[in-house]
């Protein structure tokens, strides 16, 4: 199913208060298109909180998020900034959510089908050699690649990525960026980043946040020519 079946996402009058602290303020926007929507902003600007609201991980204090059609996992999948992996092998980490997803389907897939998907996901991320390694023994970069391969295996329609290259070296960042570009051909991606370089490479449209507010949401070309972006750039 195309991600167009779920778009647009309308975010209307969103406010979020956590522990008596106002974290997000009067957010109104609409995400209409396929491709990659990049949420930019400095640390503490509210990027991750907005992504979690879209994911349904947290609920707004006020306001609503409307989808054209509400996605359910694994149609909607999120990869957090720090990979959440189980205390087992890499292959098992990819297998478990696949089994859960397949159990929801009317036709049950055989174990061999899931093994095939695992192998394809690992090959896609070029980490076949990690299949039998213990997930907790991997480097940060390897863990993030496993998390992204697991998301690929689930074939989501909407994929949310939270600062997935924040702690990676330049070589690993470049590889992750290529994989995200590949994924964007098959699903709608919304990702957060503080990297201007990454945003310029990946974005089809960009959303700029500061102090819990959305300052600008625009197409890639007009965004990087805007006064709001120039002001943000001057503060970096």
């Amino acid at each position: 199913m195309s991600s167009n079946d779920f778009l647009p996402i309308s975010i209307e009058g969103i406010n979020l208060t956590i522990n008596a602290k106002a974290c997000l303020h009067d957010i109104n926007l609409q995400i209409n298109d396929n491709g990659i929507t990049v949420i930019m902003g400095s640390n503490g600007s509210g990027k991750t909180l907005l992504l979690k609201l879209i994911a349904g991980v947290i609920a707004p204090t006020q306001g609503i998020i409307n989808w054209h059609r509400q996605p359910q996992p694994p149609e909607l999948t999120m990869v957090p900034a720090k990979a959440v992996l189980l205390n087992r092998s890499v292959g098992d980490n990819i297998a478990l959510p696949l089994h859960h997803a397949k159990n929801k389907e009317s036709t049950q897939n055989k174990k061999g089908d899931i093994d095939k998907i695992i192998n394809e996901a690992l090959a896609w991320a070029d980490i076949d050699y990690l299949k039998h390694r213990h997930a907790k023994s991997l480097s940060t970069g390897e863990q993030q690649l496993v998390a992204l391969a697991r998301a690929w295996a689930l074939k989501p329609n909407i994929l949310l990525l939270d600062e997935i290259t924040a702690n990676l070296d330049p070589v690993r960042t470049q590889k992750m960026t290529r994989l995200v570009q590949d994924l964007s051909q098959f699903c709608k991606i919304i990702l957060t980043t503080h990297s201007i370089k990454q945003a310029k490479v990946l974005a089809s449209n960009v959303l700029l946040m500061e102090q819990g507010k959305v300052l600008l949401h625009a197409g890639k070309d007009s965004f990087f020519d805007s006064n709001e972006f120039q002001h943000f750039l001057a503060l970096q």
Side-chain angles (χ1 to χ4, degrees):
M1 181 175 292
S2 165
S3 58
N4 280 329
D5 295 308
F6 302 95
L7 299 174
I9 311 167
S10 297
I11 299 172
E12 303 171 11
I14 290 291
N15 290 280
L16 179 66
T17 300
I18 300 175
N19 296 328
K21 178 183 177 183
C23 299
L24 296 178
H25 312 273
D26 195 28
I27 294 179
N28 295 277
L29 62 98
Q30 186 161 290
I31 298 173
N32 298 304
D33 59 340
N34 288 317
I36 301 176
T37 296
V38 172
I39 305 175
M40 286 190 67
S42 54
N43 290 336
S45 61
K47 303 187 300 295
T48 297
L49 289 175
L50 180 57
L51 203 68
K52 286 182 175 180
L53 283 167
I54 294 171
V57 175
I58 57 177
T61 307
Q62 292 178 309
I64 56 172
I65 297 177
N66 281 322
W67 297 78
H68 182 258
R69 187 172 81 80
Q70 179 71 44
Q72 301 296 327
E75 295 167 333
L76 174 68
T77 296
M78 181 172 177
V79 178
K82 182 173 175 16
V84 179
L85 300 179
L86 302 171
N87 194 25
R88 55 186 70 188
S89 74
V90 166
D92 285 344
N93 267 272
I94 297 175
L96 189 62
L98 281 173
H99 281 293
H100 181 70
K102 298 304 179 187
N103 286 339
K104 288 184 173 181
E105 296 179 0
S106 54
T107 17
Q108 188 175 3
N109 289 60
K110 296 178 181 177
K111 182 178 183 298
D113 295 329
I114 288 179
D115 287 341
K116 181 174 181 288
I117 295 170
I118 293 167
N119 291 333
E120 289 172 346
L122 293 170
W124 171 78
D126 195 25
I127 51 173
D128 315 62
Y129 59 95
L130 295 178
K131 182 176 182 179
H132 301 292
R133 289 271 302 277
H134 197 284
K136 297 292 187 180
S137 72
L138 305 181
S139 69
T140 299
E142 288 171 333
Q143 289 189 8
Q144 286 297 79
L145 283 169
V146 171
L148 200 61
R150 181 171 58 190
W152 180 93
L154 288 168
K155 299 293 187 286
N157 301 89
I158 309 289
L159 180 59
L160 309 179
L161 305 174
D162 186 21
E163 295 277 10
I164 60 167
T165 61
N167 301 309
L168 304 187
D169 61 70
V171 173
R172 193 78 78 183
T173 295
Q174 190 174 27
K175 179 175 183 177
M176 292 285 281
T177 300
R178 288 197 304 269
L179 292 174
V180 171
Q181 285 177 310
D182 182 68
L183 274 165
S184 70
Q185 300 176 59
F186 310 103
C187 66
K188 170 64 185 177
I189 293 178
I190 304 174
L191 69 86
T192 66
T193 185
H194 62 271
S195 168
I196 295 168
K197 180 179 179 181
Q198 187 177 56
K200 286 184 174 180
V201 170
L202 290 175
S204 53
N205 59 91
V206 191
L207 193 158
L208 180 63
M209 296 190 70
E210 196 58 58
Q211 296 182 342
K213 298 179 180 179
V214 173
L215 302 184
L216 177 66
H217 182 206
K220 177 179 178 176
D221 293 337
S222 57
F223 177 87
F224 289 110
D225 288 335
S226 69
N227 292 331
E228 290 88 346
F229 174 69
Q230 296 305 318
H231 178 69
F232 171 76
L233 197 60
L235 298 176
Q236 302 308 297

